[in-house]
Every structure is written in structure tokens, then in C-alpha cells.
Amino acid sequence: MQDLIKDIEKLEAISKKLEPGTELLKDWNQKVNAYGLEFVQGLDAGKAYEQYDGQELDFLDFGPDGDSIDNALEKIKSTVDHFGINPASGGHLGYIPGGGLYSSAIGDYLAAVSNRYAGVFYANPGAVKMENDLIKWTAKEMGYPLDSGGNLSSGGSIANLIAVTTARDYMGIEGSKVEEAVVYMTEQVHHCVHKALRIAGLGKTIWRQVPMDSEYRMDVSALGQLMDSDKKAGRIPFMVFASAGTTDVGAVDPLNEIADLTDKYSCWYHVDGAYGAAFKLVTAFNPLFKGIERSDSLVIDPHKGLFLAYGLGIVLVKNVDALAKSHYYNANYMQDAKVDNSMDWSPADLSPELTKHFRGMRMWLSFKLFGMNAFRASIEEKHLLAKYFWVRMKEEGFELGPEPALSVVIYRFQPKGKDRDTFNRALMHTVLKDGFNFISSTSINNEIWLRLAVLSFRTHKDRIDHLIDTLVHAKNELLTH
Ligand SMILES: *Cc1c(COP(=O)(O)O)cnc(C)c1O
């Protein structure tokens, strides 16, 4: 017994290092805070992209007895906060930008310090109710009933997976039915949908690529014909994936017309609005999103259109019982946490996770501190900036894709007597080499287009003007060489 106590005391002395005491915590806080503020202050003048120079990145350099916060921050600064895309920069105009509201970081800080358990209502009614209220808020904004189910997931991919899994079980797609079930989507659907189908064991369903109109939206009459012939042939029209904002070109499928068909064929209707659904927060966009409220499930990514830091997607499922049937959690050691009717739903019963990041805090705190007006204005501003770019570039003689429905523009230059793809690749290269702004490209029908995606809350007109100047200047240079 004496030996046992001695051993415990010896270990206690060492393990207590994990609770460093107020003075050291203050020092860490102050230095991390200073680092964060300096980072934010540097964004306006800083680059959005820094090419990786190939230097060795090694993160297993910790010693047995630890290091100082100064050394840790120095390391982060020279590695993580250095190479690649800077998604916090207003110059991130490629892919689908994020942003990373500072309030989101503060929310994460608070969530992690207290480490509240947001997986089951019993463990923390406040945290779970906060997340459930945010789901209710989302449902209201999207026109869903307030008793819809939902989950704050890590992102859009997992949110889509949760919807696919729910649809699979609700529609009874198992065993021999898998190979008779048909899913419908356009070529522009996000790849995480294909991935979700494979993960959910639906890789062998029949995948129909529905043709698109000239603006890359789903051709509804083609969809109707496909569903009709599948039904007549004895196959099961199982699930339609509409996009409310495609990643590539920002197109919104005709949501209301698609709903007519999914009603007619009793098919599960899913809308992937990971990028675009946030635009529905702006009243002017209501006509474009008409019919979104008729879907069975819906995805929206607050780490895109609501500018929160990465790690937050939302899935809504109208039929909460269907969502729970696919995801409820039960184990003997969980008997105290069992759902009872007086309690709210628990995330553990509506998602693949049990213990999880308390993601609601960052979203709630941001809404609480800013109110919704600034969000709605910023989203609308992004749309108008994309439109401004579209008009200006047209004036500069570029070839433009469709006028932006949301905030993505595809464009390119047609050089006389030069190879178009090579020319546009060179244009993009010039922008990236400069690095103040970051843009991307895409390939549609095997042809290269340059892409502008405006979605960072930090992007304002000066950035867009700078990009236009860079592109026009680079175009003129390339034409004369
Ligand atoms: C970004 C995106 C996804 C994937 O979401 P993640 O949050 O990156 O996992 C899915 N669909 C669309 C339309 C997207 O833009």
C-alpha cells in the first residue's frame, strides 16, 4: 500500500504539469491572442496564396518535457500559416472560399475550455438545445417545418452522407433492391454525393446523369423522361439530387419543377445547398430557391456561406423519425441518457457521431454578437461583386459564362492565333505568382475556364478591382509576347 501511494504521488507530480496554473495560462492567452490579432491585421495587405517551396515540414519535433508557446507559435507561423491558400484572406477567390469569422474562433475557444458534452441532451441540455435551436433557425430560413430533424455536422460531405443514409433506409433500398434503385443528378453535382452513395453501400445503384440546359441547370423534362422510363421498366426511382448552387458554376437547379417530379414518382428529394443555400437568407433570392422547401432533405454549409471557420455543415431532414431510425444510439452504458419524450433530440440519435465537437457555440456566438443583418448584407454584397466582375470582364473583352446566379463566374480569354487553354492557364499562373489574389480553374466539356468564386466576408470591391487589373494587364502582356 505504501509503495502504491508513493508511485501515485510520483506520477501526480509529473502529470500536474497538464494543469499549468493561472500565470502560464495568462501568458499563453496573451501570446496566442497577439498572434491572432497580428494575423487578422495582416490580411488586408497580405497574400491569398503562397506557393509551397518544398521545404521539409516536420511536426514530430516535440521533446518529452515540452517547449515554450513562443517556439510553438514560431513553428506554426513558418509552416502552417505560410504555404498554400490563405482561406482567411479576402483575396481567396477560388474554389468555394470560407472566411473564418473571429467570433467563430472565440466560440471554439469557449466550447473547448469548458468542454461541454454536446452529444446527448442529458449530459448538457444547454449545449444540445443551442444546437437544436440553430437547426430550427435553419429550418425556418429554408422554409422547412420547425419540427424537422437535423444535425450540425463537420461539413457538407458528412451532411450529404447523413441524408443519403436516411433516404436509403426510409426508401428500403437494401438487398436486391440496390441494383434496381435509380439516383438522378447532373454532371455538375458535387463529388461528395458519389462518395456518400458508395459509403452508404449504394455504389451499385443505377446512376443517371441528367442533361443540363445552357446554364448548367438540370433539364427537368429530361429528368421526367428518365424517371418515366425507369418506372415503366420496373426500376425504382429512388433519389434525386438537385444542386442549389453548383460548385463549378454556381447554378441552381429548377427546384420547384423537380419537386413536381419527385412527388409524382414518390422519390426522395435531396437538395445540396452546401455552397448556395445561404443565399436564401437574402429575400431577393427567394424566387430562385422556390421549391427548396419541398425537398425531403437539404444541406447547407455555414463554413462557406455563413463565413464560420471550417468544420460546420448542416443537414436538415423533414422527417425526423426517418433520420433517427437510421442513426439512433443505444448501449447499456448509455441507459441514463435514453431519449425520453420530455427531452429534446440528441445529436447522437441523429448523426453517426457520439462524442462530438460542440459546433453550435461558434455559430450561435457569431449570430449573437453580430445579429443577422450583417450576414444578409454580406451575402448579397458577394453576389453583386460577382456580377460586377462579370460586367467589367465582359467590357474588357473576355468571354463570360452565364451571368452569376449566386457568386461564381466562369470566364476566359479567346486569343486570336494562340492556343486558348495554354493562354488561360498562363493567365491563372500570373495571378497565382503574384499571390495577392487566389483564383482557380475548371474543366467543362474538356475545355478550360477560369473561375471566380466570391464568398469570403472579407472580400470587398477593392479586391475584385485588383484582380481585374491583374488579369487585364496579364492578358495584354501575353498578347504582345
Ligand atoms: C463544398 C461543397 C460540398 C462539400 O462540403 P464540405 O463541407 O467541403 O465537405 C458539397 N456540395 C457542394 C455543392 C459544395 O460546394
Side-chain angles (χ1 to χ4, degrees):
M1 191 65 175
Q2 262 337 83
D3 284 352
L4 178 62
I5 291 171
K6 246 191 215 136
D7 283 348
I8 290 172
E9 283 169 354
K10 211 166 88 192
L11 292 173
E12 180 176 312
I14 306 170
S15 75
K16 272 192 164 163
K17 196 172 172 178
L18 297 176
E19 188 70 278
T22 310
E23 284 316 304
L24 190 54
L25 292 188
K26 264 191 196 160
D27 181 56
W28 286 357
N29 260 340
Q30 188 225 327
K31 282 170 178 157
V32 168
N33 207 4
Y35 182 90
L37 292 178
E38 192 186 313
F39 179 87
V40 172
Q41 280 159 8
L43 287 172
D44 269 352
K47 288 181 165 197
Y49 181 70
E50 182 75 48
Q51 181 131 29
Y52 176 42
D53 66 0
Q55 76 159 256
E56 200 184 335
L57 300 171
D58 167 25
F59 291 94
L60 296 180
D61 56 350
F62 34 77
D65 293 312
D67 203 340
S68 68
I69 191 77
D70 306 88
N71 286 344
L73 290 173
E74 194 47 51
K75 175 95 189 182
I76 293 167
K77 189 171 184 167
S78 63
T79 53
V80 179
D81 286 341
H82 194 125
F83 299 114
I85 304 167
N86 182 357
S89 163
H92 179 9
L93 303 164
Y95 305 112
I96 300 289
L101 291 171
Y102 199 80
S103 54
S104 175
I106 303 290
D108 277 2
Y109 173 81
L110 292 171
V113 167
S114 66
N115 203 26
R116 295 298 182 184
Y117 197 90
V120 287
F121 185 83
Y122 164 82
N124 194 302
V128 170
K129 183 63 168 42
M130 182 191 281
E131 297 206 338
N132 286 348
D133 277 355
L134 290 167
I135 288 162
K136 215 173 258 177
W137 174 85
T138 312
K140 184 160 180 269
E141 290 290 338
M142 295 299 132
Y144 263 44
L146 296 188
D147 60 355
S148 300
N151 182 248
L152 304 190
S153 67
S154 58
S157 300
I158 299 298
N160 276 307
L161 175 64
I162 291 173
V164 166
T165 306
T166 305
R168 176 197 67 195
D169 298 344
Y170 181 78
M171 300 287 286
I173 308 301
E174 57 181 358
S176 64
K177 281 190 175 170
V178 170
E179 293 183 26
E180 296 161 18
V182 192
V183 298
Y184 306 85
M185 58 194 110
T186 71
E187 178 194 294
Q188 288 286 320
V189 79
H190 195 278
H191 277 105
C192 76
V193 165
H194 304 139
K195 190 170 160 181
L197 285 165
R198 277 192 281 113
I199 296 173
L202 298 171
K204 293 228 163 91
T205 51
I206 303 159
W207 298 7
R208 297 263 183 256
Q209 219 173 68
V210 185
M212 297 175 292
D213 65 15
S214 62
E215 301 202 345
Y216 307 102
R217 293 173 302 204
M218 189 179 279
D219 178 339
V220 183
S221 67
L223 174 65
Q225 280 161 22
L226 285 167
M227 291 175 96
D228 188 55
S229 65
D230 283 329
K231 179 101 185 177
K232 281 187 180 137
R235 293 182 283 262
I236 311 163
F238 154 49
M239 191 167 181
V240 174
F241 293 91
S243 304
T246 57
T247 315
D248 243 6
V249 303
V252 179
D253 287 330
L255 303 176
N256 204 40
E257 288 83 347
I258 294 172
D260 292 340
L261 289 172
T262 52
D263 277 356
K264 182 173 169 191
Y265 293 97
S266 308
C267 185
W268 186 282
Y269 184 18
H270 177 72
V271 176
D272 180 6
Y275 154 57
F279 285 85
K280 194 176 179 315
L281 267 61
V282 178
T283 319
F285 284 96
N286 274 339
L288 187 65
F289 289 98
K290 188 171 179 229
I292 199 171
E293 72 286 349
R294 295 173 66 190
S295 60
D296 296 296
S297 52
L298 165 64
V299 165
I300 173 173
D301 255 1
H303 66 197
K304 289 176 177 165
L306 291 174
F307 323 123
L308 299 181
Y310 289 141
L312 185 52
I314 296 180
V315 60
L316 294 179
V317 177
K318 218 175 249 172
N319 182 342
V320 65
D321 293 323
L323 177 62
K325 232 170 227 165
S326 294
H327 295 96
Y328 74 90
Y329 187 86
N330 236 329
N332 289 341
Y333 54 85
M334 288 293 294
Q335 61 183 359
D336 296 330
K338 253 176 112 174
V339 184
D340 105 31
N341 285 337
S342 68
M343 292 181 185
D344 250 49
W345 283 102
S346 292
D349 289 317
L350 304 178
S351 79
E353 294 179 307
L354 176 57
T355 305
K356 66 182 217 73
H357 177 35
F358 176 19
R359 303 178 184 100
M361 180 67 102
R362 43 165 53 197
M363 185 167 168
W364 176 81
L365 189 68
S366 299
F367 287 6
K368 183 81 176 161
L369 294 177
F370 295 124
M372 290 317 297
N373 283 349
F375 285 93
R376 296 188 208 272
S378 190
I379 293 166
E380 192 169 9
E381 178 197 14
K382 303 314 150 228
H383 168 65
L384 296 183
L385 287 173
K387 213 161 151 176
Y388 170 76
F389 179 83
W390 188 83
V391 172
R392 286 275 322 268
M393 291 297 276
K394 211 165 191 174
E395 284 168 7
E396 295 290 351
F398 280 72
E399 179 191 0
L400 274 299
E403 195 177 333
L406 302 175
S407 67
V408 175
V409 178
I410 55 169
Y411 60 99
R412 62 187 173 189
F413 193 78
Q414 293 268 13
K416 280 200 192 77
K418 289 181 197 278
D419 181 68
R420 187 184 57 205
D421 286 359
T422 313
F423 190 91
N424 285 285
R425 262 194 221 104
L427 272 183
M428 176 161 140
H429 183 71
T430 311
V431 174
L432 297 194
K433 212 170 144 201
D434 172 63
F436 186 62
N437 289 309
F438 174 80
I439 57 168
S440 59
S441 68
T442 187
S443 195
I444 298 175
N445 301 329
N446 288 321
E447 291 181 2
I448 288 189
W449 288 87
L450 301 182
R451 244 179 107 258
L452 173 90
V454 194
L455 202 61
S456 167
F457 68 99
R458 291 192 177 104
T459 304
H460 303 293
K461 185 169 163 293
D462 52 348
R463 280 279 175 176
I464 304 294
D465 283 330
H466 188 285
L467 176 62
I468 296 170
D469 288 348
T470 312
L471 284 166
V472 170
H473 187 255
K475 180 234 350 168
N476 292 338
E477 282 285 301
L478 284 167
L479 283 176
T480 52
H481 288 296

